[in-house]
Amino acid sequence: MDLRLRMVNSSDPVTAQGLVGGVLFWRLMTTVLVLDLFLAMFATGANIVTIIVYRKMGFVDSTNVSLTALAISDLGGAITAINCVLAIFLPTIPNIPFTFEIFVSSASVPHVMFSRISGLITTYISVERYLCVLLPLKIKRIITTRRTFIAMFIIFTISLALNLHLSLKFPIGWKFFPQRNRSLLGVLPIDDFTIETLDYVRQAIFSLILPVFTSVTVLFSTILLSVALQNSKSWRDANKSVVKNKETSGQELSPVDSKEARAVKMVIAITTVFIVSSIPSSIHMIAVIMVPEFEVNGRYSNLYALTGMAFLIVDSLNCCANVVIYYRMSTKFRRALRSLFRLDKPS
């Protein structure tokens, strides 16, 4: 049977009829899937390299710890993004004995989890950097490498703990699909009040509380950092002779020295990318809440799948953007990366 015809007649969300159907849906989805897969694979490799580079640089600086944790989370987001692509593509292959449903607990839900972890870590980095600008000496004594390790561990542990019930929420087994006239592996229905309650709590935290909290906090931190950076620039311009004398004598600059200013600029770049990349998924989430049929098994399930995969492109871009920012704005990272791949010319 022709692949397109099978997709249209299938019960999977990528094949259901709605605002976008048939051949048009297939063409759009194929384009999105290919781009998603390419970006997710690039993000996977980029974050593996980032983790190796920061491991090579060492964790003397607490910022290296949080940026490594961010790379680990982005790596998880990239891998689950690949799983999301497979969830759409594999069920279209002839004689595959399963549907997209089996990927829910290993693709879409974990991808959201890693996105929220990245959001929390980005929030931590932005707030830490602002406090370092506001109270440099005091905060540097409080936020140590060890405490940053503990903070990152807590973020990952709590997030993973809130998703431990997924195997119980989405049990996989054989069930009959009338549209295909055959039994396939899919997610079996459950009727367990405890599991349902746990999942409602997870959805409330990951779909509402964390997105709002991280977005608002990162936005305000970024604005405050930008103001602090501009004030620093104005101060340096107004006190050029003082700055020059202190730079010559090796004294500490005030209010924000040149090294701190570079770190602030890098954090602002990271948080700006995070804020921009969060907008499409937030729109998608609002649409799910506002439009009853805009869901996996609803009337607009094909549009839901298409827009969800399109917004996944933005997530994948966010996962691979940080390595570019580090390379462009961190001299130490750039040197370590070039040393890792032996790109520096021998003297």
Side-chain angles (χ1 to χ4, degrees), residues 98 110 112 153 156 166 243-244 251:
F98 54 79
V112 172
F153 178 79
F156 274 93
L166 289 180
V243 171
K244 185 176 181 180
Q251 297 179 38

Side-chain angles (χ1 to χ4, degrees), residues 105-176:
S105 60
S106 64
S108 58
V109 175
H111 181 77
V112 172
M113 179 192 71
F114 281 114
S115 296
R116 301 301 176 253
I117 292 175
S118 294
L120 286 171
I121 296 173
T122 303
T123 302
Y124 180 92
I125 293 171
S126 61
V127 172
E128 176 197 21
R129 185 52 52 188
Y130 175 68
L131 292 177
C132 285
V133 171
L134 189 65
L135 303 167
L137 298 178
K138 186 175 181 180
I139 294 301
K140 286 180 180 179
R141 287 196 299 267
I142 296 174
I143 304 179
T144 61
T145 300
R146 181 174 177 272
R147 287 172 179 170
T148 302
F149 264 116
I150 294 173
M152 297 301 107
F153 178 79
I154 291 173
I155 290 174
F156 274 93
T157 302
I158 293 178
S159 298
L160 290 170
L162 289 172
N163 287 272
L164 288 178
H165 69 287
L166 289 180
S167 59
L168 300 176
K169 168 63 178 176
F170 303 106
I172 296 174
W174 294 95
K175 66 180 186 180
F176 183 72

